[in-house]
Each structure stands twice: as C-alpha cells, then as structure tokens.
Amino acid sequence: MASRRATPDAVWAALSHPARRGIVDALRSDPVATGALHERLEREGLSPSRFATQRHLQVLREADLVLVTQRGRERLNALNASALYQATIGWLDPASARTAHALDSLKRLAEAPTAKEQRMTEFHITQAIDIAAEPARVWAALIEEPAAWWGAPYLLLDGPSAFELPLQCGAPVVERLGEAAALWGHVSAVTPGSVYAWIGQMGMGAGAWGEVRYELEATEAGTRVTVTHDSALLWADDAAGARSSYDYGWADLNARLKALVETGARHGTAGTNAEPEFAFNPSS
C-alpha cells in the first residue's frame, strides 16, 4: 500500500487534475460514497468511467486529502481538511490566516441563500485636522508612538494594549496585551512621511470590511492630517449608527494625536487612556 504523504508537493500534484478538484469540492460539506461521487463527476464530464474515478480517489488518498470513513455498512470518502489547510493557509502567519478566514467568511455570508433579505451597506468618513508641527514629527507620533494616542474605548483587548503599525505593505496591524494579540487589519499603502493605510475588519466583526487611510500634508501652520475610512457592512441593521460611532471615534483619536504632538499629553493606553476635550464636528 502506498504511504500517505501529507506534503505541499503531494497536495498540489493531487489537485492538478480538474476531476480531483471536483472530488474535493464535492466533499466540502459531507462524506460521499464512491458511487455518488462518480455519478457527479460523470454528469460534469470530469470522469469517463468508474475505474477513472477510483484512480483519482486513490491519488487523493495517497496525498492524505481524502480519508475513508465507515457509516454503518457504507464506506464513505471524507475530505481531510487538515492536509489542505497545511498546504495552503497553513503557510501564513496566524494573523494573516485569521484575515484570510475572515475574508472567506464574508464571501460565504454574501453568497449564501438566506430567508433574510441580503443587503450590503457602506459608509464613507473623511476628517481633517491641523497640527502645529512639521510632518516628520506628526509621522513619528503616528507610527512610532501609537500607544500614546490610541486607547479606550477603541480596543479589541481588555487592558493597556500596545499597537504595532509596521511600514511594510501586507504586514499585520496588531494590538497586543501580554501573550494575547488582536488583528486590526493589514497594511495596504505606505509612503513614508505622508501616507499610511490598512485594510481589515476594524473591530466590526466578520460581516464588515474597510480601509483606513492617513494622509499628511505640509502647511504654513504645520501639518494637515486627513483620515478617510471606507467600510462595507453586510446586513447592517443600523448602518447610520455604525457610521456615527466611527465618525466620533476617529475625531477622538485625531484629537489625541494632536494633543500628543502639540503638548505631549498622552491620552492612549500608555497614558490616561481617556479622550481629551475637543469639539466634535460630524463629517458630511
């Protein structure tokens, strides 16, 4: 009997044939008997004979992608999701894997039939604030000192978290507290000194996705910081409320960033962890 090789090479080789990909697709929900598998492949024009189907199944079993299970007197073929995971998403770091899973969940939510009417709502927030300092100083505070201006209640972890805003596109934007970590998204754009953006769920759950972008522009008085937040929410019962909440939240965080740069006041998790006094003007 051939030994099973749950290796990426074996998995990718096994998936190189459309009939075997069809088998994997058929097994995604439940184990299926060989006869039923062959009937499906035959209908789809993927396998000309039962012998060919058996041969494709054998290749998948040798790659450890398909396991044989017993249900009463019936022998069923079951997908070994672990082998598939290790050959694909298993290569990703944990934060990236969670993002991939969230994107897949959002896709399945959007495509799945439901008794509830499906709808996708969007919101767009744009805010600007003037800070009396050169762009280099504002950029340093934004990227290098996030814990000094980002704080409660805009946290995913319960405690004085630290934030990581890496300068590499695709890198995770992470909130950390001891051994715990929470993912805010992944860096989508970086122009050192002027642009920083990331995409992710932004604390809104699996049914939401968006991008936040900071843009810094030199002015005669210092630096103008523009923040945009574009998001899409699936089945949002209170989209206006969500937008209003995030609108206020970004205004609060902008005020904290301004206070840090101009006065040295630390209102983030590495400081008072409370909002400063500021005038809130809702964005249009």
Side-chain angles (χ1 to χ4, degrees):
M1 180 178 179
S3 61
R4 290 182 175 175
R5 301 160 293 158
T7 65
D9 286 347
V11 169
W12 290 118
L15 294 175
S16 64
H17 195 285
R20 295 195 283 271
R21 294 195 296 273
I23 291 173
V24 169
D25 187 58
L27 299 179
R28 288 176 61 188
S29 300
D30 291 296
V32 180
T34 300
L37 274 176
H38 172 65
E39 291 175 2
R40 171 170 171 162
L41 294 183
E42 190 175 40
R43 286 195 306 270
E44 296 174 353
L46 294 174
S47 181
S49 67
R50 188 177 294 269
F51 174 80
T53 299
Q54 288 278 16
R55 180 60 190 140
H56 288 310
L57 276 170
Q58 184 61 29
V59 173
L60 291 170
R61 290 168 186 155
E62 290 176 358
D64 206 22
L65 279 167
V66 170
L67 306 175
V68 176
T69 64
Q70 195 80 24
R71 182 181 294 173
R73 296 182 178 180
E74 194 173 29
R75 286 167 58 86
L76 302 176
N77 301 283
L79 178 64
N80 182 10
S82 177
L84 189 61
Y85 179 94
Q86 291 301 321
T88 53
I89 197 171
W91 283 349
L92 301 176
D93 62 86
S96 299
R98 286 193 293 271
T99 294
H101 176 71
L103 282 170
D104 183 64
S105 297
L106 181 59
K107 178 178 183 293
R108 286 187 283 107
L109 279 171
E111 295 178 349
T114 176
K116 183 177 181 180
E117 180 183 358
Q118 294 187 18
R119 67 181 186 276
M120 180 75 79
T121 58
E122 301 177 355
F123 67 73
H124 173 79
I125 293 171
T126 299
Q127 297 182 2
I129 189 169
D130 292 309
I131 299 179
E134 295 182 352
R137 171 63 188 116
V138 178
W139 178 264
L142 176 71
I143 301 301
E144 299 173 12
E145 305 175 70
W149 58 272
W150 192 307
Y154 318 110
L155 303 172
L156 297 179
L157 301 176
D158 186 16
S161 310
F163 292 85
E164 298 175 3
L165 300 177
L167 294 177
Q168 180 180 358
C169 284
V173 176
V174 179
E175 176 187 341
R176 296 189 186 277
L177 179 62
E179 297 296 322
L183 181 71
W184 281 86
H186 285 80
V187 180
S188 57
V190 176
T191 302
S194 62
V195 176
Y196 191 84
W198 70 89
I199 57 174
Q201 293 171 288
M202 300 305 300
M204 292 186 287
W209 202 256
E211 181 184 60
V212 172
R213 175 178 292 260
Y214 277 86
E215 296 183 347
L216 280 58
E217 180 183 4
T219 65
E220 291 184 1
T223 303
R224 187 166 182 81
V225 179
T226 301
V227 180
T228 58
H229 181 185
D230 294 296
S231 271
L233 295 85
L234 192 64
W235 302 326
D237 293 325
D238 186 15
R243 183 193 186 283
S244 177
S245 175
Y246 274 83
D247 199 15
Y248 181 88
W250 288 118
D252 180 7
L253 291 175
N254 288 341
R256 299 185 194 204
L257 177 62
K258 178 180 175 71
L260 172 65
V261 175
E262 292 184 348
T263 70
R266 302 165 72 87
H267 292 277
T269 57
T272 64
N273 210 12
E275 65 185 45
E277 293 185 7
F278 71 99
F280 173 54
N281 299 309
S283 61
S284 57

